[in-house]
Amino acid sequence: MNPSEKFFRRERRSVPAARRFAHAFLAEWGLAEAERGGDVLLCVSELATNALVHGVPPGRQFRVFLRYDGQVLRVEVHDSGGGVPHVDEADAGDEGGRGLLLVAALADKWGVGERDLGKVVWAEFVSLCS
């Protein structure tokens, strides 16, 4: 297995930084140009945004963890906030609220796990090339 992880501050610029971090990981393993590489990066952005907006208390950080075992790419975003994320049906006029809906549509599997403090939201991609 080839894991990679990085911590990010609770600030807006951390979302594009998390996406760049994930892209570098994908490139290192020859997956950056895979058909579903863009899906992975979008899910990283959405999960990082959710952690930033809903999960990371002031003064804390969130962690992005990626692992690829040659078949399954797993993306995890860890935060120390409370609550359990869930998919909401956003109204047509809403500007937000579709992040997990996108993750659920793009990833092969996704879910939420508990940590000693906070939670981990994860997404898995079984085949990056359709």
Side-chain angles (χ1 to χ4, degrees), residues 72-99:
V72 177
L73 175 69
R74 183 175 176 105
V75 174
E76 297 179 357
V77 176
H78 299 242
D79 68 60
S80 55
V84 177
H86 58 279
V87 175
D88 279 331
E89 294 296 325
D91 292 329
D94 291 347
E95 291 185 20
R98 293 177 181 84

Side-chain angles (χ1 to χ4, degrees), residues 95-128:
E95 291 185 20
R98 293 177 181 84
L100 286 179
L101 187 63
L102 285 171
V103 171
L106 296 174
D108 293 305
K109 291 194 250 181
W110 78 279
V112 180
E114 293 182 12
R115 297 175 2 130
D116 287 340
L117 179 61
K119 63 193 161 298
V120 56
V121 184
W122 56 269
E124 289 185 345
F125 299 83
V126 176
S127 174
L128 292 176

Side-chain angles (χ1 to χ4, degrees), residues 47-85:
L47 294 177
T49 298
N50 283 352
L52 183 68
V53 173
H54 304 291
V56 182
R60 304 303 287 271
Q61 298 178 326
F62 66 94
R63 172 183 168 225
V64 176
F65 175 86
L66 299 126
R67 182 179 63 223
Y68 181 60
D69 67 4
Q71 292 184 324
V72 177
L73 175 69
R74 183 175 176 105
V75 174
E76 297 179 357
V77 176
H78 299 242
D79 68 60
S80 55
V84 177

